[in-house]
């Protein structure tokens, strides 16, 4: 795969930069749901150089080039340290890097960086359930079900109608040897999303 070189981008003017960001936006995740103060920080205040870094990072993420995305988003984050969109995607890029087999030797270090960024997100936007959910996922990757349960509990407290949060919490409760709690969360996931087939399957196995 050819190396992506963001320095080859040649654009001028805010309109062109915004057009580039819009074209690349599908690869970027928007943290949500955001409180009003968080929404103001999600996209606002980006200057030309940051927009270029974010757009280039989006291309890198589409190519699963997490190392490049981390470098670009870290640079954008230095310029806009409270921009939630940049911070959320920087954390996600570190997480992707931590789970990438090609960088297995640095797995713990990269997951620690992702964890730090997600915690920073929660300090800036305490109502961001998606950041708590991501922290729970990192705890699962580290085979730490008690910690995962605490973070899933936080995510559910912030977004109790999210079926994925309930589904994942159910799995963690099974790991913790709490079948009744697992059953409750599987049933809640199904009630919220009746086409969530994995929840039906896991619930059936649990009740065997």
């Amino acid at each position: 795969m050819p190396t992506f070189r963001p320095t080859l981008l040649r654009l001028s003017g805010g309109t062109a930069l915004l057009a580039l960001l819009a074209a690349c936006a599908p690869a970027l995740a928007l943290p949500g749901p955001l409180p009003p103060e968080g929404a103001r920080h999600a996209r606002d205040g980006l200057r030309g150089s940051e927009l270029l870094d974010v757009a280039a990072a989006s291309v890198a993420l589409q190519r699963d080039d997490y190392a490049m995305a981390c470098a670009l988003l870290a640079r954008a984050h230095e310029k806009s340290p409270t921009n939630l969109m940049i911070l959320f995607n920087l954390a996600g890029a570190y997480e992707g890097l931590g789970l990438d087999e090609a960088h297995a030797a640095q797995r713990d270090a990269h997951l620690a960086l992702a964890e730090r960024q997600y915690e920073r997100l929660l300090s800036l936007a305490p109502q961001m359930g998606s950041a708590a959910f991501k922290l729970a996922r990192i705890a699962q990757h580290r085979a730490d079900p008690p910690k995962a349960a605490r973070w899933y509990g936080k995510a559910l407290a912030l977004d109790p109608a999210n079926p994925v949060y309930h589904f994942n919490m159910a799995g963690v409760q099974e790991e913790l040897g709490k079948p009744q709690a697992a059953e409750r969360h599987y049933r809640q996931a199904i009630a919220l999303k009746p086409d969530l087939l994995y929840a039906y399957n896991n619930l059936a196995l649990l009740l065997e």
Side-chain angles (χ1 to χ4, degrees), residues 90-168:
L90 176 59
Y94 279 132
E95 184 181 359
L97 198 58
L99 300 177
D100 188 346
E101 291 297 326
H103 299 86
Q106 293 82 37
R107 179 178 184 271
D108 288 342
H110 290 141
L111 288 179
L113 286 169
E115 190 173 43
R116 190 181 311 158
Q117 304 309 324
Y118 287 130
E119 289 174 347
R120 169 69 173 154
L121 275 166
L122 280 173
S123 73
L124 291 171
Q127 300 305 310
M128 192 186 293
S130 54
F133 173 77
K134 289 288 193 174
L135 285 163
R137 290 285 295 156
I138 289 174
Q140 282 191 287
H141 291 312
R142 289 174 164 166
D144 188 346
K147 188 174 184 178
R150 289 195 296 274
W151 280 120
Y152 280 133
K154 172 72 170 177
L156 282 167
L158 295 170
D159 189 5
N162 191 306
V164 175
Y165 295 1
H166 282 285
F167 178 81
N168 283 35

Side-chain angles (χ1 to χ4, degrees), residues 11 16 24 41 45 63 65 79 82 85 124 126 131 136 152 170 182 190 198:
L11 291 174
C24 295
H41 286 296
R63 298 178 175 183
D65 188 346
K79 300 170 186 174
T82 61
M85 183 184 71
L124 291 171
Y152 280 133
I190 291 168
Y198 287 115

Side-chain angles (χ1 to χ4, degrees), residues 15-96:
T15 301
L17 291 170
L18 288 171
L20 175 61
L21 180 58
C24 295
L28 290 173
L30 281 173
L34 292 178
E37 68 275 13
R40 286 196 297 272
H41 286 296
R43 290 188 185 274
D44 295 345
L46 291 181
R47 296 181 293 276
S49 60
E50 293 144 78
L51 283 169
L52 279 174
D53 283 338
V54 169
S58 177
V59 176
L61 288 171
Q62 290 179 56
R63 298 178 175 183
D64 293 332
D65 188 346
Y66 297 111
M68 174 67 80
C70 285
L72 291 162
L73 289 166
R75 187 166 64 186
H77 174 58
E78 286 180 4
K79 300 170 186 174
S80 293
T82 61
N83 184 286
L84 301 185
M85 183 184 71
I86 292 174
L87 192 53
F88 189 82
N89 283 280
L90 176 59
Y94 279 132
E95 184 181 359

